[in-house]
Amino acid sequence: MTTHQGTPPPIRLDSSVQLMLGKHLLTCLPHEACGLLLGTAAAGGILISSYVPLSNVAPDPLHAFVPDPSEWVRAMFSSPAPIGLFHSHPTSPPWPSPADIQGLIALGPEFRVYLIGSPGQGGLQPPALNGFIISRESGADGPQLLHTGLQALLK
Ligand SMILES: [Zn+2]
């Protein structure tokens, strides 16, 4: 593995996935939505080709997310493989919270991507989506999130 120089490469995702994320986010309001991102991570970059929505079983789903454990286990055997996690911030911008950063430690090394979505301003704009690469460089105290661009691909 080489270390990242500057900005990491953009995350590519099928436009169908982008639509599914926005839809799930809006369907779950006012609760946080969460789910697994499936795809491939190679030297050439990361491609997200499908999305598995999961139930949020957090005691306080307005301000936290805990994916349903049985759905999580089932989804971990999906194809292509889960390589990332998505969740939404119903009332705040799509940037990682301290709890989000702390939660990274629970994700296995197969998790490379972290996406956060928020509803559009005043419900008039389309949902906002931010993409991050999960960086596990040695020397850092725990995994970090590196903000990067998202490229929606039309099929
Ligand atoms: Zn969050």
Side-chain angles (χ1 to χ4, degrees):
M1 287 293 287
T2 53
T3 54
H4 287 297
Q5 299 290 329
T7 313
I11 298 162
R12 293 173 297 151
L13 74 170
D14 275 5
S15 54
S16 63
V17 172
Q18 194 178 26
L19 287 174
M20 283 176 79
L21 296 176
K23 218 174 188 176
H24 191 213
L25 179 163
L26 295 173
T27 308
C28 292
L29 288 175
H31 292 177
E32 291 196 12
C34 60
L36 284 166
L37 302 159
L38 277 48
T40 51
I46 287 168
L47 174 65
I48 297 166
S49 48
S50 59
Y51 173 63
V52 178
L54 300 175
S55 306
N56 180 0
V57 297
D60 179 14
L62 292 171
H63 303 109
F65 73 101
V66 175
D68 179 272
S70 61
E71 291 178 10
W72 176 276
V73 169
R74 216 174 310 139
M76 286 306 287
F77 294 98
S78 303
S79 180
I83 57 166
L85 186 62
F86 165 77
H87 77 285
S88 68
H89 288 177
T91 56
S92 60
W95 295 99
S97 67
D100 292 340
I101 305 281
Q102 276 172 21
L104 294 174
I105 200 82
L107 298 175
E110 65 273 31
F111 283 85
R112 306 281 298 276
V113 176
Y114 200 89
L115 298 187
I116 306 176
S118 298
Q121 290 289 324
L124 299 171
Q125 306 286 327
L129 199 56
N130 270 341
F132 305 86
I133 300 287
I134 302 173
S135 163
R136 296 182 176 83
E137 283 172 30
S138 56
D141 18 293
Q144 309 286 314
L145 292 177
L146 309 176
H147 184 222
T148 191
L150 290 171
Q151 262 174 21
L153 303 175
L154 294 167
K155 273 195 182 158

